[in-house]
Amino acid sequence: MAHINDNYRKLPGSYLFSEIARRVSTFQAAHPDANIIRLGIGDVTQPLPQVSVDAIKRAADELSHAETFRGYGPEQGYDFLREAIAAHNYKRRGLDVNADEIFISDGSKCDCGNIQEIFSLDSKIAIADPVYPVYLDTNVMAGRTGSLMSDGHFEGVIYLPCTADNNFSPSIPNEHVDLIYLCSPNNPTGTTLSKDALKDWINYARANDAIILYDSAYAAYITEPDVPQSIYEIEGARDCAIEFRSFSKTAGFTGTRCGYVVIPNQLTGAAADGSRVPLKNLWLRRQTTKFNGTAYIVQRGAEAIYTDEGQAQVKALVGYYMENARIIRDGLTTAGLTAYGGVNAPYIWLKTPDGMSSWDFFDRLLSEANVVGTPGAGFGPCGEGYFRLTSFGARDKTIEAMARIAAM
Ligand code: MLT
């Protein structure tokens, strides 16, 4: 008899964004004329930067000749991209990250979900609440948690509440944990962690021999100069932090797929026999076994954003979405709603009116305004009573959505 992994049964029936897609298509089927505006999943709508398109075409041409054809690439990514990332995102900003510490992937979702495999099943995990559901769901699947309790929490997980009262900045737990998931700019609240907050986390991690799993997929959206873009801007982070970054939101690669993980050479974890093992070696072993690398043409497309022209195009793309964020934030505020985020992130986090539940607000917005957002409760129990809108829509649709919400 083939027994299933029963841990999967602890999870709600479907992944958050699949459930939203299901509800939207049910609504659309019942109301075929409804002109639905989708500001739910954070999927980009604007074209790839032209430099990336050109680089992808050139790379595809290379593959059409035997002399320049490439088959399997290195699982950890081509050196040309690893070096461009190290130079541009780290060295140029005075940060000590080397190309051999960078692992290219097909996106941050996979990396954030897979990283837990290199840690012991009895690791104690701490997760911000609300946050991107992949961190928690993958730990549930792995069996690192107990069951879902009636309060929406999983047994055995240390939740770090992020509410308006603490400016959506998680507090240090007063107990020991081994793995800490932090996300800044945060998905879904659109808020960021300050340098001081990160210093506290790094001090905690070093004192507890813990590892911080730092997701900064939205770093390109930071507009305020004092907000850290990388955890390695904080002293001591190389001893205790892994960083995740993505081209999805930076350069419109949600469908093209490219991301990367930084694992510093000196970062180690404890083995059962007490010895210390470099985490980078374990990740390399995992990737070489389970992953065959990101497509060459995609890596060439990603590399192209590090040219001067590429940087200008990426800046324009991010600027476009950040103007949408401003329109959403201002529109919500004018409509009398309380909104957070949207300044250093493409997400706006709003308090639902009249104490409505997140899912009730979702249904109301969909049926009355034909606008799709994401219920805050889907990101964790502390997201209940909140709602997320994304600024990744087209400009005209974003403006139209705000007019419809105001009319409600
Ligand atoms: C989101 O909407 O939270 C993101 O698009 C999900 C993702 O990046 O996987």
Side-chain angles (χ1 to χ4, degrees):
M1 189 186 301
H3 286 283
I4 60 154
N5 176 353
D6 267 306
N7 293 311
Y8 277 64
R9 301 183 76 201
K10 297 176 189 165
L11 288 165
S14 47
Y15 180 58
L16 173 62
F17 294 106
S18 313
E19 173 61 17
I20 291 172
R22 190 192 63 76
R23 288 193 190 209
V24 173
S25 59
T26 305
F27 180 84
Q28 185 80 81
H31 305 86
D33 295 333
N35 175 14
I36 295 176
I37 300 178
R38 292 161 203 270
L39 303 181
I41 190 164
D43 193 7
V44 296
T45 54
Q46 299 307 296
L48 286 177
Q50 191 57 43
V51 287
S52 297
V53 174
D54 293 342
I56 289 170
K57 284 184 184 165
R58 279 195 304 273
D61 279 344
E62 283 179 49
L63 302 186
S64 72
H65 302 288
E67 306 75 46
T68 46
F69 174 77
R70 297 180 189 234
Y72 293 129
E75 292 88 346
Q76 62 273 44
Y78 283 101
D79 284 345
F80 62 78
L81 182 56
R82 303 171 86 195
E83 276 157 19
I85 292 168
H88 188 91
N89 288 350
Y90 296 103
K91 298 271 186 237
R92 206 190 53 142
R93 307 183 68 239
L95 304 180
D96 179 21
V97 170
N98 304 305
D100 69 349
E101 298 171 313
I102 295 170
F103 296 80
I104 310 297
S105 70
D106 57 353
S108 264
K109 183 181 191 175
C110 315
D111 291 336
C112 291
N114 292 332
I115 196 76
Q116 46 80 25
E117 287 184 22
I118 66 168
F119 295 101
S120 153
L121 269 188
D122 62 10
S123 304
K124 192 90 175 156
I125 58 166
I127 296 191
D129 171 17
V131 86
Y132 186 40
V134 169
Y135 316 147
L136 178 65
D137 286 9
T138 52
N139 275 287
V140 175
M141 289 170 174
R144 213 169 269 112
T145 74
S147 303
L148 182 59
M149 300 184 289
S150 56
D151 63 0
H153 290 128
F154 279 89
E155 277 170 336
V157 176
I158 307 299
Y159 287 83
L160 308 170
C162 298
T163 63
D165 291 340
N166 61 10
N167 276 330
F168 303 98
S169 184
S171 305
I172 306 284
N174 48 17
E175 60 194 295
H176 171 86
V177 301
D178 302 300
L179 300 175
I180 304 144
Y181 287 86
L182 296 177
C183 179
S184 178
N186 185 269
N187 177 10
T189 64
T191 54
T192 51
L193 295 176
S194 67
K195 284 200 169 118
D196 284 344
L198 285 179
K199 267 184 212 153
D200 290 346
W201 277 109
I202 286 167
N203 289 341
Y204 172 87
R206 291 172 87 188
N208 282 272
D209 197 5
I211 300 289
I212 297 173
L213 302 167
Y214 190 73
D215 183 357
S216 58
Y218 299 93
Y221 288 81
I222 293 172
T223 58
E224 293 178 320
D226 54 337
V227 175
Q229 297 193 9
S230 163
I231 195 161
Y232 303 117
E233 289 173 39
I234 317 297
E235 205 188 322
R238 284 181 58 83
D239 298 331
C240 62
I242 291 176
E243 180 161 286
F244 303 89
R245 295 262 196 126
S246 168
F247 290 86
S248 288
K249 316 297 160 80
T250 309
F253 276 55
T254 52
T256 318
R257 310 303 305 152
C258 196
Y260 60 95
V261 185
V262 179
I263 308 184
N265 288 326
Q266 71 231 51
L267 198 55
T268 63
D273 64 5
S275 61
R276 303 294 302 194
V277 176
L279 295 180
K280 184 184 144 174
N281 295 358
L282 298 184
W283 185 245
L284 182 64
R285 187 68 175 85
R286 190 230 172 253
Q287 292 296 81
T288 48
T289 304
K290 295 194 177 185
F291 182 59
N292 253 343
T294 304
Y296 171 68
I297 58 174
V298 170
Q299 294 192 55
R300 281 293 185 200
E303 179 199 22
I305 73 162
Y306 295 118
T307 57
D308 288 347
E309 209 185 347
Q311 283 299 287
Q313 291 175 11
V314 164
K315 197 168 166 216
L317 195 59
V318 169
Y320 177 92
Y321 293 130
M322 286 311 281
E323 175 59 9
N324 284 352
R326 187 198 61 74
I327 290 166
I328 295 172
R329 207 181 145 116
D330 288 357
L332 293 173
T333 311
T334 308
L337 293 162
T338 306
Y340 305 91
V343 175
N344 294 305
Y347 294 127
I348 296 88
W349 187 238
L350 65 109
K351 185 99 196 81
T352 57
D354 308 323
M356 264 180 125
S357 81
S358 304
W359 279 105
D360 284 351
F361 189 68
F362 172 89
D363 289 335
R364 184 163 164 215
L365 206 61
L366 180 58
S367 60
E368 289 182 25
N370 299 163
V371 172
V372 181
T374 309
F379 296 99
C382 284
E384 181 55 277
Y386 287 91
F387 198 76
R388 191 193 80 174
L389 291 175
T390 154
S391 70
F392 287 125
R395 177 69 44 78
D396 56 339
K397 297 217 162 130
T398 302
I399 292 171
E400 168 72 17
M402 296 323 295
R404 291 188 199 172
I405 291 173
M408 278 169 75

